[in-house]
């Protein structure tokens, strides 16, 4: 909760004298001395102009960003709570310009960051990189964030304990803290909340060993949730599918996209989106 504006009586003592008024009485708070009126107005002006800045001095946090619905909801909730200041989006990219895991074009992720009013912190990583390569690249990227005073990274994981423990261990080794604002939430309720808030997303990756390929390229909406088999998590928390968010309250206006067709890669079917601009 934001702190209340200080009352007049709580304003600390500041020494103030009228110009050329050597030897005049000092002024403290709202005391009525010879120069009290002007000094009090001066102090009050300082507090009225400085207090909003003081209130904005809240802890910055990076958001692990895939471009999908979970991290988008995470950003929305952090902004709504106002207890932490989202300071940027942390995304892995291949040298070819595709995001890690979802294979979304870098230009679209950059567009998301721009429309969300946040800096993008890219982490370059070859496709099929080992854990050691991933950890080294992440350490390099986060060193710059640490130099900017950022010590926390928010992740959109919901219920996979092994993933959480890995992220916590990795961040701790880098002198940072991982935290999980969506942790242990009911995924069916989260899916409905994502839609109710007004997020618009497209399924851009399907694990065809778990979910029918026909879901690739579909809008993430009520119809899709109804059509999902009962064994499939409605947020795709087990990796059954991934999304790209192109509309919602975190953006100044929607991210323009154009369907570019399916892109099969082994058991995973990606659905490519392009930037029509």
């Amino acid at each position: 909760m934001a702190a209340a504006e200080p009352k007049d009586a709580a304003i600390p003592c500041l020494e103030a004298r009228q110009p050329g008024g050597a030897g005049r009485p000092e002024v403290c708070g709202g005391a009525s001395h010879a120069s009290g009126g002007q000094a009090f107005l001066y102090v009050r002006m300082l507090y009225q102009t400085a207090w909003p800045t003081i209130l904005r001095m809240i802890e910055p946090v990076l958001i692990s960003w895939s471009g999908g619905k979970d991290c988008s909801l995470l950003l929305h909730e952090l902004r709504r709570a106002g207890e932490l200041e989202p300071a940027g989006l942390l995304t892995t990219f291949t040298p070819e310009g595709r995001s890690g895991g979802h294979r979304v074009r870098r230009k679209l992720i950059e567009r998301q960051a721009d429309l969300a009013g946040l800096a993008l912190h890219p982490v370059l990583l070859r496709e099929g990189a080992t854990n050691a390569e991933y950890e080294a690249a992440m350490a390099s990227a986060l060193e710059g964030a640490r130099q900017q005073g950022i010590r926390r990274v928010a992740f959109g994981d919901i219920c996979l304990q092994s993933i959480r423990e890995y992220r916590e261990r990795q961040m701790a080794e880098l002198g940072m803290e991982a935290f999980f604002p969506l942790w242990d939430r009911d995924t069916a309720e989260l899916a409905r909340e994502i839609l109710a808030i007004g997020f618009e997303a497209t399924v851009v990756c399907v694990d065809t060993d778990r979910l029918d390929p026909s879901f690739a390229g579909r809008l993430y909406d009520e119809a899709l949730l109804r059509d999902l088999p009962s064994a499939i998590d409605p947020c795709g928390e087990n990796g059954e599918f991934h999304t790209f968010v192109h509309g919602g309250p975190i953006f100044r206006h929607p991210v323009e996209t154009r369907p570019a067709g399916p892109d099969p890669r082994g058991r995973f079917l990606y659905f490519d989106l392009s930037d029509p601009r």
Side-chain angles (χ1 to χ4, degrees):
M1 180 179 295
E5 181 176 344
K7 302 296 184 181
D8 295 348
I11 296 177
C13 299
L14 290 181
E15 190 172 81
R17 301 181 187 275
Q18 293 188 14
R24 291 179 179 272
E26 294 181 354
V27 175
C28 178
S32 298
H33 299 297
S35 59
Q38 291 185 5
F40 174 75
L41 291 176
Y42 176 71
V43 174
R44 184 178 183 85
M45 179 190 70
L46 285 178
Y47 267 78
Q48 287 176 335
T49 55
W51 199 250
T53 301
I54 294 171
L55 291 179
R56 286 196 297 271
M57 293 173 62
I58 54 180
E59 184 179 0
V61 58
L62 281 183
I63 297 174
S64 178
W65 188 261
S66 66
K69 57 186 174 24
D70 299 337
C71 58
S72 295
L73 176 63
L74 168 59
L75 172 56
H76 175 70
E77 293 202 348
L78 286 176
R79 283 177 163 172
R80 185 170 56 183
E83 297 175 358
L84 295 167
E85 179 65 30
L89 309 178
L90 185 69
T91 306
T92 59
F93 293 103
T94 67
E96 295 75 33
R98 296 284 182 163
S99 67
H102 297 199
R103 288 192 56 79
V104 173
R105 300 183 189 216
R106 177 166 176 166
K107 191 173 182 179
L108 290 178
I109 300 289
E110 291 173 340
R111 190 67 178 144
Q112 282 183 320
D114 177 57
L115 291 174
L118 293 171
L120 182 63
H121 295 252
V123 182
L124 294 182
L125 199 65
R126 71 176 180 86
E127 199 159 356
T130 65
N131 277 356
E133 290 173 313
Y134 168 79
E135 290 163 9
M138 190 66 70
S140 177
L142 289 176
E143 178 57 31
R146 281 175 50 81
Q147 292 175 3
Q148 298 174 28
I150 300 172
R151 294 292 184 272
R152 304 181 80 183
V153 180
F155 294 91
D157 302 292
I158 303 170
C159 58
L160 296 180
Q161 186 65 35
S162 60
I163 296 295
R164 174 172 180 152
E165 291 174 357
Y166 173 77
R167 299 198 196 284
E168 288 175 331
R169 183 171 61 253
Q170 182 193 20
M171 291 299 106
E173 290 173 355
L174 299 176
M176 302 188 77
E177 178 188 353
F179 75 110
F180 306 83
L182 305 182
W183 188 254
D184 211 23
R185 302 262 291 271
D186 183 276
T187 55
E189 292 181 2
L190 277 183
R192 291 191 293 270
E193 183 179 351
I194 287 166
L195 298 181
I197 288 171
F199 282 112
E200 300 172 356
T202 296
V203 176
V204 293
C205 177
V206 167
D207 181 348
T208 59
D209 282 357
R210 300 180 177 184
L211 186 61
D212 192 274
S214 63
F215 281 87
R218 286 187 58 173
L219 290 177
Y220 185 78
D221 55 14
E222 291 285 358
L224 181 140
L225 293 179
R226 286 195 300 270
D227 292 343
L228 284 177
S230 59
I232 300 298
D233 185 90
C235 285
E237 182 66 359
N238 300 304
E240 302 98 326
F241 62 91
H242 301 293
T243 60
F244 176 79
V245 170
H246 39 77
I250 59 174
F251 303 129
R252 294 193 304 274
H253 57 76
V255 180
E256 295 180 58
T257 63
R258 176 181 295 160
D263 177 21
R265 291 174 178 264
R267 63 186 273 192
F268 295 99
L269 176 60
Y270 298 92
F271 190 85
D272 193 19
L273 298 174
S274 64
D275 184 344
R277 296 178 306 143

